[in-house]
Amino acid sequence: MWDKRCRLVTVTCVDLIDSLELTYSFDHNLELVHLRVKAEKDRPFPSISGIYYAAFLVENEIQDQFGLRFDNLHPDYQGFMLLSRDAPRTPMLRQVEERGRNEDAV
Amino acid sequence: MNLVRLAQAKSPWVLHYDASSCNGCDIETVACLTPLYDIERFGAVSIGSPKHADMLLVTGNVNHKSKRVLRNIYDQMTEPKVVVAIGICATSSGVFHQSYNVLGGADQAVPVDVYISGCPPRPEAIIDAIIMGVEKLKKKWKEEEEHPVKRSNQGSDTERSTADVG
Amino acid sequence: MPSRTVIPFGPQHPVFPEPLQLTLTVEDEKVVDAVPGLGYVHRGLEKGAELNDYIKNIYLAERVCGICSFMHSWTYCSCIEELLNIEVPPRAEYLRMIFAELSRVHSHLLWLGLYADAFGLESLFMQCWRIRERCLDMQEAGGGGRVILSTCTIGGMRRNLDEDMRRAFIKEVAEIRRDFERLVPVFLNDYSIKKRTVGVGVLSKEDAQSLGAVGPTLRASGVRSDARMLGYGPYKEVDFEPVVEEGGDCYARGVVRVKEVLQALDLITQALERLPEGEIKANFRGRLKGEVFKRMEQPRGEMLYYVKASRNKNLDRFRIRTPTFANIPPLLKMLPGCDLSDVPVITLSIDPCISCNER
């Protein structure tokens, strides 16, 4: 992607309960190209911030919100970029009771 | 009321801080300064330093991180001081009430004297709130003149009680 | 050996209406490193959207940012419309474009005012905001609110524009243009503005692309890229050519925005003249299923929405990538090497919108 001079648009993280789904979106001449990867929740995931410096913000955000650790992330806020020390941890992960309520609504 | 106080009531200096609003209230607050609404008609000047300010305008709800900053700014202001909560978020956290990072209105961090609702409130409402704030300020000055010792005690009481809330 | 000092810049700073913190490392007067401190406006909106049902989320999406709130509701609604296969009536699409371009005009005027204020031209700030009030009056007349309109809804628009209003709008746009054209030479030629901005905070074309800059920041570095070129809504039918400048400095970013104001006024006039007749709202039913990525051009640049749903009333995932989020890495690239006194101008030149950025 870097060689083709694609611009990193964003990384989207979705919680699939048993794992996390990361979608890397790139822009190439106004066309979106998506790469989809599955990541395990408790294992560190390789960071792309060494290649795309711009990725450090979004990877830090995912680290804050989903608790997924990234390897070689620079600058690394240790999961406290958006959240402060006294805020709830990993707020975007799906809680079991919330899932139950969603299914009732169907 | 002495002459200095009389003059001060005609020219409240305001400081604006965005606790965590969506920008709507902020730009309406700034719009008050501009030619159409022109709050300088009432002598109000927007300034950057908390040490100079009589009045603190808070927009937006308070989150975990901005609470400390807001508290810090409030503590730096000289007594007596008035806090105006602008918009529904600063009053009761509005549409964001479910969010995990939102603690509530501005009163979670500092004691608030004037609340105005609206999402965002119109500039006329903000001007009105500032005028109401001046009235509050006058009342506080009067109290200070009458009971100089008692008032400062009261001040520390409110500070302690809000610290407990957080 | 010059001594190094660490200066915290913000969160409460007179230049910004919003709390952005930059931890600057300076050597004498030169900045050598900048680290952003975020989170002062983080509200957890993406999670909040998962708790509401999808119709209530329009109001939440509008409050991502108070300046470009209409663009957010448009993007959100078009995501839902794509998931539900709703055909939006052409009149509604044109009305949406009119309000979107109006909010671009008022956002750029707001920015130009703050920009003028950053280098001390307070009367220019007042002039820009005076013209901006006319846009807000138009928004109030046509949409119902000064800043947050709440007029965009799933399937179309909530309020129509009658014939008298349409003519009044055309006249008003011409007057805004006349007023603004008197300020254009100041922004383009004024000696003191050029002195403060030319050659300050240069971002090369390669850096802009690799760091993922968007919007006027990208176009000022000579890259012809604008999400409106995708041709969503009525943009495929109107005359539209993105504004591109070559300089890559703060001056070029200012010029791009000045030209975009004129272009947006032109687009509003075109849309008002071609406004098709017909319904303004389509009916819809059904349940959301699937996922969609949607990009639109905000005043600050390209914005990406991701919506995922699986037959629930609630969304499974709602993600917004806002333009400021993409423009912060280029800002960190621009800051090292500049003077400490230029930091406010450079920071403002990306048009930071912190409430978008942190949601």
Side-chain angles (χ1 to χ4, degrees), chain B residues 15 18-23 27-28 30 34 36-37 48 63 65 69 95-96 98-101 119 122-123, chain C residues 12 17-19 38-45 47 52 63 65-66 110 126 129 132-133 140 146-147 353 355:
Chain B
L15 170 71
D18 167 7
S20 67
S21 93
C22 74
N23 248 339
I27 54 172
E28 291 292 64
V30 183
T34 56
L36 192 66
Y37 295 101
N63 69 14
K65 221 169 183 175
V69 183
V95 286
F96 302 113
Q98 293 170 313
S99 300
Y100 56 84
N101 207 23
C119 185
R122 295 184 60 87
Chain C
Q12 194 266 330
E18 293 174 281
L38 305 171
Y40 294 97
V41 203
H42 181 61
R43 287 152 290 175
L45 192 141
K47 185 72 185 176
N52 284 336
R63 282 156 184 83
C65 171
L110 176 147
M126 294 290 182
W129 281 62
R132 179 178 162 270
E133 285 293 335
E140 197 175 3
R146 273 168 56 86
V147 178
C353 174
S355 63

Side-chain angles (χ1 to χ4, degrees), chain C residues 154-336:
Chain C
I154 296 166
M157 293 287 277
R158 203 168 278 141
R159 291 174 72 146
N160 206 341
L161 214 61
D162 59 25
E163 185 55 32
D164 292 345
M165 193 94 93
R166 194 180 72 90
R167 273 197 227 107
F169 266 38
I170 293 176
K171 225 169 106 187
E172 189 76 14
V173 168
E175 278 179 29
I176 294 175
R177 175 182 274 277
R178 200 197 58 210
D179 275 4
F180 184 67
E181 270 171 355
R182 286 167 56 198
L183 296 186
V184 171
V186 183
F187 280 109
L188 298 189
N189 307 326
D190 187 78
Y191 174 77
S192 47
I193 290 183
K194 277 189 156 174
K195 195 83 185 159
R196 284 299 299 272
T197 54
V198 173
V200 173
V202 180
L203 185 70
S204 68
K205 191 172 177 177
E206 287 72 32
D207 281 346
Q209 255 171 339
S210 66
L211 292 171
V214 291
T217 314
L218 181 64
R219 291 195 284 278
S221 293
V223 183
R224 189 172 168 278
S225 169
D226 189 318
R228 283 174 286 179
M229 282 154 66
L230 293 167
Y232 59 85
Y235 285 106
K236 52 187 175 293
E237 292 158 25
V238 293
D239 298 330
F240 169 72
E241 180 59 36
V243 181
V244 180
E245 284 288 323
E246 292 297 331
D249 51 5
C250 290
Y251 177 72
R253 288 191 275 279
V255 173
V256 167
R257 291 195 175 93
V258 168
K259 287 187 180 164
E260 279 193 359
V261 170
L262 296 172
Q263 183 194 43
L265 290 171
D266 188 45
L267 286 173
I268 297 171
T269 321
Q270 282 188 46
L272 282 167
E273 277 162 2
R274 295 183 192 184
L275 194 64
E277 292 297 319
E279 289 288 305
I280 56 160
K281 192 172 178 312
N283 291 325
F284 66 95
R285 61 196 305 266
R287 285 209 184 273
L288 298 173
K289 185 164 169 47
E291 55 181 344
V292 60
F293 282 93
K294 199 100 193 171
R295 285 193 290 170
M296 280 197 190
E297 186 78 10
Q298 259 197 346
R300 287 165 185 75
E302 168 208 84
M303 158 172 77
L304 180 126
Y305 265 58
Y306 171 72
V307 172
K308 185 180 180 189
S310 54
R311 293 202 172 276
N312 285 333
K313 268 167 88 180
N314 303 51
L315 305 177
D316 282 4
R317 180 80 168 101
F318 176 58
R319 165 147 174 78
I320 312 165
R321 202 297 314 267
T322 50
T324 309
F325 201 78
N327 276 336
I328 283 192
L331 171 69
L332 300 180
K333 175 84 187 173
M334 285 180 240
L335 285 174

Side-chain angles (χ1 to χ4, degrees), chain A residues 2 5-16 21 23-34 36 51-59 61-62 64-66 75 77 80-84 90-95 98-99 101-106, chain C residues 34-40 42 44 46-47 50-52 205-206 208-214 218 224-227 229-230 287 291 293-295 302 304 306 308 310-321 324-326 328-330 332-333 357-359:
Chain A
W2 175 260
R5 304 177 65 82
C6 290
R7 178 167 64 83
L8 176 72
V9 178
T10 194
V11 185
T12 308
C13 184
V14 182
D15 185 10
L16 304 173
E21 181 191 83
T23 310
Y24 291 78
S25 314
F26 296 90
D27 173 277
H28 190 248
N29 293 335
L30 286 176
E31 248 177 75
L32 272 184
V33 184
H34 302 294
R36 190 156 273 182
I51 309 166
Y52 281 100
Y53 174 68
F56 86 90
L57 267 181
V58 64
E59 286 182 346
E61 192 187 69
I62 292 171
D64 276 21
Q65 296 183 328
F66 293 90
Y77 289 80
F80 296 104
M81 183 176 81
L82 293 176
L83 305 173
S84 65
T90 61
M92 294 293 285
L93 284 181
R94 285 188 164 261
Q95 311 295 324
E98 185 203 324
R99 194 173 148 71
R101 208 195 64 201
N102 272 0
E103 279 166 356
D104 289 343
V106 177
Chain C
V35 178
L38 305 171
Y40 294 97
H42 181 61
E46 290 179 1
K47 185 72 185 176
E50 290 171 22
L51 301 175
N52 284 336
K205 191 172 177 177
E206 287 72 32
Q209 255 171 339
S210 66
L211 292 171
V214 291
L218 181 64
R224 189 172 168 278
S225 169
D226 189 318
M229 282 154 66
L230 293 167
R287 285 209 184 273
E291 55 181 344
F293 282 93
K294 199 100 193 171
R295 285 193 290 170
E302 168 208 84
L304 180 126
Y306 171 72
K308 185 180 180 189
S310 54
R311 293 202 172 276
N312 285 333
K313 268 167 88 180
N314 303 51
L315 305 177
D316 282 4
R317 180 80 168 101
F318 176 58
R319 165 147 174 78
I320 312 165
R321 202 297 314 267
T324 309
F325 201 78
I328 283 192
L332 300 180
K333 175 84 187 173
N357 184 21
E358 293 163 7
R359 304 171 300 281

Side-chain angles (χ1 to χ4, degrees), chain B residues 36-102:
Chain B
L36 192 66
Y37 295 101
D38 195 14
I39 201 161
E40 281 198 49
R41 286 179 293 162
F42 304 100
V45 183
S46 172
I47 44 140
S49 165
K51 299 265 180 192
H52 299 168
D54 299 313
M55 205 184 288
L56 175 63
L57 310 180
V58 186
T59 53
N61 39 48
V62 174
N63 69 14
H64 289 281
K65 221 169 183 175
S66 68
K67 182 184 164 192
R68 216 174 48 239
V69 183
L70 187 59
R71 186 74 215 168
N72 206 341
I73 291 173
Y74 180 79
D75 287 344
Q76 286 182 58
M77 288 167 63
T78 50
E79 290 278 347
K81 49 202 169 187
V82 167
V83 179
V84 181
I86 293 177
I88 195 72
C89 289
T91 307
S92 67
S93 76
V95 286
F96 302 113
H97 67 101
Q98 293 170 313
S99 300
Y100 56 84
N101 207 23
V102 169

